[in-house]
Amino acid sequence: MKLVFEIEPVEQARPRATRMGRGIRLYDPKKVSVYKKQLAMMCKFQYKQEPLTGPLKVELKFFRHVQSSLSKKERELRLSGSHRPVVKPDTDNYIKSTLDGLNGLLWEDDNQIVDLIAHKYYSDRPRVEVEVNEVCCTHKQ
Protein backbone atom coordinates (compact mmCIF):
# COMPACT_ATOMS: atom_id res chain seq x y z
CA MET A 1 0.00 0.00 0.00
CA LYS A 2 1.27 3.46 -0.85
CA LEU A 3 0.05 6.74 0.64
CA VAL A 4 1.07 10.29 -0.26
CA PHE A 5 0.72 13.06 2.32
CA GLU A 6 0.85 16.57 0.84
CA ILE A 7 2.64 18.08 3.82
CA GLU A 8 6.10 19.54 4.45
CA PRO A 9 8.07 16.93 6.42
CA VAL A 10 9.00 18.02 9.96
CA GLU A 11 11.84 16.54 11.96
CA GLN A 12 11.40 15.16 15.47
CA ALA A 13 12.91 17.67 17.87
CA ARG A 14 14.00 17.13 21.44
CA PRO A 15 11.01 16.94 23.77
CA ARG A 16 10.27 19.92 25.98
CA ALA A 17 9.64 19.56 29.71
CA THR A 18 7.34 21.26 32.16
CA ARG A 19 6.89 20.82 35.91
CA MET A 20 3.63 19.37 37.11
CA GLY A 21 3.60 19.43 40.89
CA ARG A 22 6.45 17.19 41.93
CA GLY A 23 6.78 15.55 38.52
CA ILE A 24 7.87 16.52 35.06
CA ARG A 25 5.82 16.13 31.89
CA LEU A 26 7.56 15.81 28.52
CA TYR A 27 5.86 17.04 25.35
CA ASP A 28 6.64 17.65 21.68
CA PRO A 29 7.46 21.17 20.48
CA LYS A 30 4.44 22.80 18.79
CA LYS A 31 5.77 22.41 15.23
CA VAL A 32 6.23 18.64 15.70
CA SER A 33 2.90 18.24 17.46
CA VAL A 34 1.04 20.04 14.65
CA TYR A 35 2.82 17.89 12.02
CA LYS A 36 1.86 14.64 13.75
CA LYS A 37 -1.78 15.75 14.11
CA GLN A 38 -2.01 16.84 10.46
CA LEU A 39 -0.38 13.60 9.32
CA ALA A 40 -2.87 11.59 11.40
CA MET A 41 -5.85 13.48 9.92
CA MET A 42 -4.57 12.93 6.37
CA CYS A 43 -3.99 9.25 7.12
CA LYS A 44 -7.54 8.78 8.48
CA PHE A 45 -8.87 10.35 5.26
CA GLN A 46 -6.82 8.06 2.97
CA TYR A 47 -6.68 4.82 4.98
CA LYS A 48 -10.02 3.70 6.36
CA GLN A 49 -9.05 0.19 7.50
CA GLU A 50 -7.88 -1.27 10.78
CA PRO A 51 -4.19 -0.78 11.62
CA LEU A 52 -1.93 -3.48 10.21
CA THR A 53 -0.61 -6.16 12.53
CA GLY A 54 2.47 -8.32 12.24
CA PRO A 55 5.89 -7.54 10.79
CA LEU A 56 6.08 -4.71 8.23
CA LYS A 57 8.45 -3.29 5.64
CA VAL A 58 8.20 0.51 5.31
CA GLU A 59 9.71 2.81 2.70
CA LEU A 60 9.59 6.55 3.35
CA LYS A 61 10.31 9.34 0.88
CA PHE A 62 10.62 12.87 2.24
CA PHE A 63 10.34 15.71 -0.27
CA ARG A 64 11.36 19.08 1.13
CA HIS A 65 11.18 22.57 -0.36
CA VAL A 66 14.01 23.90 -2.48
CA GLN A 67 15.37 27.15 -1.05
CA SER A 68 14.39 30.18 -3.13
CA SER A 69 17.79 31.88 -2.76
CA LEU A 70 19.57 29.44 -5.10
CA SER A 71 20.82 29.99 -8.62
CA LYS A 72 18.63 28.70 -11.42
CA LYS A 73 21.22 26.03 -12.26
CA GLU A 74 21.49 24.76 -8.66
CA ARG A 75 17.69 24.77 -8.34
CA GLU A 76 17.38 22.60 -11.47
CA LEU A 77 20.03 20.18 -10.16
CA ARG A 78 18.13 19.79 -6.89
CA LEU A 79 14.75 19.34 -8.56
CA SER A 80 16.17 16.75 -11.00
CA GLY A 81 17.54 14.69 -8.09
CA SER A 82 21.17 15.24 -9.11
CA HIS A 83 21.78 17.13 -5.86
CA ARG A 84 20.12 15.58 -2.82
CA PRO A 85 19.69 17.15 0.64
CA VAL A 86 22.83 16.46 2.69
CA VAL A 87 21.91 19.12 5.22
CA LYS A 88 19.91 19.18 8.42
CA PRO A 89 17.40 18.01 9.39
CA ASP A 90 18.73 14.48 9.53
CA THR A 91 16.77 11.72 7.82
CA ASP A 92 16.38 9.79 11.09
CA ASN A 93 14.59 12.74 12.69
CA TYR A 94 12.10 12.85 9.78
CA ILE A 95 11.60 9.11 10.24
CA LYS A 96 10.88 9.36 13.96
CA SER A 97 8.24 12.09 13.70
CA THR A 98 6.50 10.38 10.77
CA LEU A 99 6.40 6.89 12.27
CA ASP A 100 5.11 8.28 15.57
CA GLY A 101 2.42 10.27 13.74
CA LEU A 102 1.14 7.13 12.00
CA ASN A 103 1.15 4.89 15.10
CA GLY A 104 -2.25 3.34 15.74
CA LEU A 105 -3.45 4.32 12.25
CA LEU A 106 -1.41 2.47 9.60
CA TRP A 107 0.05 0.00 12.08
CA GLU A 108 -0.66 -0.76 15.72
CA ASP A 109 2.83 0.28 16.82
CA ASP A 110 6.01 1.19 14.98
CA ASN A 111 7.81 -1.67 16.75
CA GLN A 112 6.23 -3.88 14.04
CA ILE A 113 8.54 -2.35 11.43
CA VAL A 114 11.29 -4.88 10.74
CA ASP A 115 12.58 -3.37 7.47
CA LEU A 116 12.90 0.38 6.90
CA ILE A 117 14.17 2.39 3.94
CA ALA A 118 14.17 6.20 3.86
CA HIS A 119 15.07 8.83 1.27
CA LYS A 120 15.38 12.64 1.28
CA TYR A 121 14.72 14.69 -1.86
CA TYR A 122 14.12 18.27 -2.92
CA SER A 123 10.85 19.19 -4.61
CA ASP A 124 8.59 22.09 -5.55
CA ARG A 125 5.81 19.97 -4.03
CA PRO A 126 6.75 19.07 -0.44
CA ARG A 127 5.24 15.77 0.67
CA VAL A 128 5.80 12.50 2.46
CA GLU A 129 5.32 9.21 0.61
CA VAL A 130 4.83 6.07 2.67
CA GLU A 131 4.82 2.57 1.25
CA VAL A 132 3.94 -0.27 3.61
CA ASN A 133 4.14 -4.01 2.91
CA GLU A 134 3.43 -6.91 5.21
CA VAL A 135 6.40 -9.25 5.67
CA CYS A 136 5.05 -12.74 5.20
CA CYS A 137 8.14 -14.91 5.34
CA THR A 138 10.72 -15.27 8.07
CA HIS A 139 14.41 -15.13 7.30
CA LYS A 140 16.69 -17.72 8.88
CA GLN A 141 20.35 -16.99 9.52
Side-chain angles (χ1 to χ4, degrees), residues 1-57:
M1 147 189 44
K2 184 175 180 180
L3 301 173
V4 178
F5 302 105
E6 302 289 336
I7 186 173
E8 178 89 33
V10 172
E11 73 278 10
Q12 180 67 49
R14 293 191 188 280
R16 304 292 187 250
T18 185
R19 282 193 190 274
M20 296 202 57
R22 292 185 166 180
I24 294 176
R25 184 178 80 85
L26 297 176
Y27 62 95
D28 281 329
K30 185 171 184 176
K31 182 179 175 184
V32 178
S33 178
V34 167
Y35 171 73
K36 289 179 181 179
K37 287 176 186 168
Q38 289 177 331
L39 196 61
M41 286 189 329
M42 291 175 174
C43 184
K44 288 176 188 174
F45 182 75
Q46 290 185 52
Y47 183 75
K48 299 183 187 322
Q49 300 170 38
E50 290 295 312
L52 296 168
T53 59
L56 302 172
K57 176 182 179 178

Side-chain angles (χ1 to χ4, degrees), residues 39 42 90 110-111:
L39 196 61
M42 291 175 174
D90 300 349
D110 56 5
N111 64 8

